[in-house]
């Protein structure tokens, strides 16, 4: 207790050199004092290390508290004799500098790179691939990834849906149908549900590939793609526009009109009763096409 009081007195009497005193107060032996003082490489604590080595005998277990207090005063004198003592901040600064060099905090650029979207990474990967004409880079990169994962039997359940989200051009839609066919034929029985069908419908309709939507719906066993009545009406409206285009040749308008009747037959085949809008779309397409057929 006397030793602790002596150390506390020294610390209060020499605030500018309290760093060295705290090293003394926390040490239990002279060798510990010398080691801690030398480890800081500070000119303030260099005399402390020398004094601790010279008076190590005073820290034996049989040393009276009075002699220990005297040793503390010797350390205090050694500190006072140190020329141009460095403040605590100066001794800590080099350690902070070393820490900043070895463990730098991530900057904003690194945060942005780690948080980059999967689409950006896919686009970068596609840059090294041979990009077909009319196909977007992001879609082609995702297509390459999903085919690779299917070969390795490691696809994710959401891969097909993410590929549909990446459709950006009509040519993307053609390649998607091929990938969709491979997905359905995979021996592992990859997942495919109504939510996937909804995403696929919206993606293909957004790029104007209603012909592919009709083809998927007509191949029930192969694609398990079952559009609802409102979705069939949306396909029929697109074909009605094509049938009514006067700048198109007769063959193109006739093909659009033929697709209208296929949509009507699709409803009957899927046991979906047509309504008034169904008949209105079908009749108006025939009228606006101005074809004798």
């Amino acid at each position: 207790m006397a030793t602790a009081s002596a150390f506390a007195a020294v610390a209060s009497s020499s605030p500018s050199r309290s760093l060295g005193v705290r090293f003394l107060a926390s040490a239990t032996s002279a060798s510990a004092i010398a080691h801690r003082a030398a480890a800081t490489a500070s000119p303030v604590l260099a005399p402390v290390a020398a004094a601790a080595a010279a008076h190590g005998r005073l820290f034996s277990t049989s040393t009276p508290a009075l002699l220990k207090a005297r040793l503390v005063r010797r350390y205090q004198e050694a500190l006072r004799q140190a020329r141009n003592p460095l403040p605590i901040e100066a001794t800590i600064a080099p350690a902070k500098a070393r820490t900043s060099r070895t463990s730098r905090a991530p900057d904003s650029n690194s945060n942005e790179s780690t948080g980059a979207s999967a689409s950006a990474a896919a686009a970068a990967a596609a840059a090294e691939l041979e990009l077909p004409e009319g196909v977007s880079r992001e879609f082609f990169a995702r297509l390459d990834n999903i085919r690779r994962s299917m070969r390795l039997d490691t696809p994710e359940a959401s891969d097909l849906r993410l590929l549909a989200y990446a459709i950006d051009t009509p040519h993307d839609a053609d390649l998607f149908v091929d990938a969709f066919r491979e997905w359905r034929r995979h021996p592992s029985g990859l997942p495919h549900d109504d939510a996937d069908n909804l995403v696929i419908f919206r993606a293909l309709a957004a790029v104007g590939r209603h012909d592919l939507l009709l083809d998927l719906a007509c191949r029930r066993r192969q694609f398990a793609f079952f559009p609802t009545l409102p979705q069939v009406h949306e396909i029929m409206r697109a074909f009605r526009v094509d049938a009514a285009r006067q700048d198109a040749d007769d063959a193109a308008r006739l093909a659009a009109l033929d697709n209208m009747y296929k949509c009507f037959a699709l409803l009957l085949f899927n046991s979906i009763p047509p309504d008034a809008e169904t008949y209105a779309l079908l009749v108006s397409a025939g009228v606006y096409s101005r074809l004798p057929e």
Side-chain angles (χ1 to χ4, degrees):
M1 295 298 294
T3 304
S5 300
F7 279 106
V10 173
S12 61
S13 64
S14 182
S16 63
R17 299 175 176 84
S18 58
L19 177 64
V21 176
R22 283 199 298 272
F23 273 99
L24 299 178
S26 62
T28 57
S29 67
S31 59
I33 293 175
H35 175 72
R36 295 190 183 191
T40 61
S42 171
V44 176
L45 299 181
V48 179
H55 298 276
R57 61 182 182 83
L58 295 179
F59 264 77
S60 63
T61 55
S62 61
T63 303
L66 182 60
L67 292 181
K68 291 182 179 180
R70 185 181 302 172
L71 176 60
V72 170
R73 285 195 294 273
R74 289 290 303 274
Y75 290 160
Q76 183 180 8
E77 293 174 1
L79 289 172
R80 288 175 180 174
Q81 292 173 2
R83 295 180 179 268
N84 299 324
L86 296 176
I88 295 178
E89 292 78 5
T91 59
I92 297 177
K96 287 185 177 180
R98 291 191 299 270
T99 304
S100 64
R101 289 194 300 267
T102 55
S103 57
R104 286 172 34 191
D107 54 10
S108 59
N109 293 333
S110 62
N111 290 335
E112 292 177 0
S113 62
T114 55
S117 63
S119 60
E128 301 179 358
L129 300 176
E130 185 179 353
L131 192 65
E133 183 179 358
V135 178
S136 63
R137 289 187 178 277
E138 179 183 351
F139 175 84
F140 195 59
R142 287 189 179 276
L143 177 65
D144 182 69
N145 291 336
I146 193 174
R147 283 177 170 168
R148 185 185 302 112
S149 64
M150 284 191 290
R151 286 196 299 268
L152 299 176
D153 201 16
T154 59
E156 298 290 339
S158 60
D159 283 349
L160 181 66
R161 194 176 306 180
L162 293 176
L163 183 63
Y165 278 129
I167 295 175
D168 192 49
T169 67
H171 294 282
D172 292 348
D174 289 321
L175 295 179
F176 174 81
V177 172
D178 295 337
F180 190 12
R181 185 181 296 106
E182 296 173 17
W183 182 276
R184 291 282 302 167
R185 291 178 177 176
H186 198 274
S188 299
L190 301 179
H192 167 228
D193 54 22
D194 293 338
D196 295 322
N197 286 340
L198 179 59
V199 174
I200 294 171
F201 183 90
R202 291 304 174 198
L204 295 181
V207 294
R209 296 307 306 268
H210 298 88
D211 56 327
L212 291 180
L213 289 173
L214 178 59
D215 185 65
L216 293 177
C218 291
R219 302 175 185 272
R220 296 179 49 178
R221 294 176 60 86
Q222 187 173 357
F223 293 101
F225 187 81
F226 307 107
T228 62
L229 179 61
Q231 290 175 340
V232 173
H233 286 167
E234 183 175 344
I235 297 174
M236 293 178 70
R237 281 190 288 269
F239 288 142
R240 184 179 62 174
V241 172
D242 294 336
R245 293 184 57 182
Q246 298 303 313
D247 57 343
D249 55 16
D250 291 349
R253 286 185 290 160
L254 185 60
L257 191 61
D258 184 61
N259 287 333
M260 291 287 295
Y261 284 98
K262 286 183 180 179
C263 290
F264 184 81
L266 178 66
L267 293 176
L268 301 179
F269 186 74
N270 290 335
S271 300
I272 302 177
D275 59 4
E277 184 178 1
T278 308
Y279 289 102
L281 289 170
L282 189 61
V283 173
S284 60
V287 173
Y288 294 142
S289 68
R290 298 182 181 181
L291 294 173
E293 288 81 4

